[in-house]
Amino acid sequence: MSLHDLHRPLGDSGLIVSPLGLGTVKLGRDQGVKYPNGFTIPDDASARALLDQARGLGINLIDTAPAYGVSEERLGPLLRGQRQDWVIVSKVGEEFIGGQSHYDFTPAHARLSLERSLRRLESECIDLLLVHSNGDDLAILNDSGLYETLAAFKAEGKIRAFGLSGKTVAGGLLALERGDCAMVTYNLAERSELPVIEHAAAHTKGILVKKALASGHACLAEGQDPLRASFELVFAQPGVTSAIVGTINPQHLASNVATAAAVIKGYTAGLR
């Protein structure tokens, strides 16, 4: 089972994306991450095989960021000759230096960051550029001039759409009112940003879900499948465009795709 026939619009941005996206923090960084188990950053051959597998399973959305270590630098060569096959999401605002996150939401830094990302990704345009928030969403959107700068990047043709990877409901709502997309946390243990998803559904905006497979499944009854339960929760919301999954395990990736496809097709059949 694949996602090839399940691609959908990212709001009114003009982008068409798969309902699962591939997160790439594990291709570039193993410090300061919050995964329950340790992992080894895959070598180029393994990373290329993972990307090929994802594309073969119908995933066309890939999520990266300057804060993901060397993820962007690796993706440029790894995706060489395939740029037309991928919708690339990157970010501005957060840097990861010396094992620590540092934030800069000035317009000048955003332009420097974007130009660097374009060089690293060997691309003339980034499809979706998000603000990598530190949690102070409203101050970033209202006071920094950064969102206006992203709108200028779009007008210049350097990006196709923009939005916020935020941490608050108020920030997510404002980001959607002024932009194209919000990335929100939504999973079995954390549902506070549901109003942002509902707003997106009502106003034809894009929603990407991060941490869709977060731990915290203790509330499930014994014998329930946490993967299926997570995707049933996420894709029950018509406002969700895509969920980002960051696995580097080929078996997990195949299982994620098969489960998500079954859940989405089940919901689609139920609506007929």
Side-chain angles (χ1 to χ4, degrees):
M1 193 173 290
S2 78
L3 302 173
H4 287 287
D5 59 344
L6 297 175
H7 291 198
R8 67 273 302 277
L10 184 77
D12 58 3
S13 68
L15 300 171
I16 305 296
V17 301
S18 50
L20 289 186
L22 184 65
T24 62
V25 63
K26 289 182 179 180
L27 296 187
R29 167 180 154 191
D30 58 4
Q31 292 180 292
V33 291
K34 299 178 181 179
Y35 298 104
N37 301 309
F39 64 94
T40 300
I41 295 175
D43 60 20
D44 282 354
S46 298
R48 186 173 289 108
L50 187 79
L51 291 165
D52 289 345
Q53 179 191 10
R55 187 172 58 159
L57 290 170
I59 292 176
N60 78 332
L61 179 66
I62 194 161
D63 176 71
T64 185
Y68 293 175
V70 296
S71 173
E72 287 184 325
E73 295 168 76
R74 298 190 70 196
L75 285 172
L78 287 169
L79 299 181
R80 199 170 288 157
Q82 304 176 27
R83 180 63 184 91
Q84 71 282 357
D85 298 327
W86 295 95
V87 174
I88 296 180
V89 182
S90 194
K91 305 177 187 75
V92 295
E94 182 181 356
E95 304 280 339
F96 190 74
I97 304 169
Q100 298 289 330
S101 286
H102 301 268
Y103 295 93
D104 187 334
F105 300 111
T106 61
H109 184 267
R111 188 167 290 276
L112 179 153
S113 180
L114 172 61
E115 296 294 347
R116 182 186 59 194
S117 294
L118 290 170
R119 290 193 302 272
R120 288 174 171 176
L121 292 164
E122 301 182 6
S123 181
E124 295 181 356
C125 177
I126 289 175
D127 298 297
L128 175 62
L129 191 65
L130 302 176
V131 178
H132 219 161
S133 175
N134 62 354
D136 201 2
D137 296 348
L138 290 181
I140 295 167
L141 295 173
N142 287 324
D143 304 330
S144 69
L146 179 55
Y147 225 47
E148 293 80 0
T149 301
L150 267 58
F153 293 160
K154 184 177 178 180
E156 294 168 17
K158 293 183 180 293
I159 65 174
R160 296 177 64 189
F162 66 93
L164 173 78
S165 176
K167 299 184 179 181
T168 66
V169 170
L173 294 174
L174 186 59
L176 290 179
E177 289 172 9
R178 298 182 183 175
D180 303 298
C181 179
M183 180 179 275
V184 302
T185 299
Y186 188 64
N187 57 50
L188 292 168
E190 176 52 64
R191 311 184 195 186
S192 64
E193 292 179 82
L194 178 59
V196 183
I197 298 173
E198 294 174 334
H199 182 90
H203 295 85
T204 321
K205 297 292 184 175
I207 288 287
L208 302 182
V209 172
K210 55 188 173 182
K211 303 178 183 176
L213 304 180
S215 57
H217 300 138
C219 58
L220 294 176
E222 184 178 352
Q224 283 188 283
D225 176 7
L227 178 62
R228 187 175 185 92
S230 296
F231 285 148
E232 285 177 344
L233 175 79
V234 167
F235 292 114
Q237 296 299 326
V240 171
T241 312
S242 185
I244 306 299
V245 293
T247 184
I248 52 175
N249 182 304
Q251 290 75 33
H252 290 171
L253 181 60
S255 178
N256 289 344
V257 167
T259 303
V263 167
I264 294 167
K265 289 179 179 179
Y267 282 136
T268 302
L271 293 175
R272 289 174 182 166

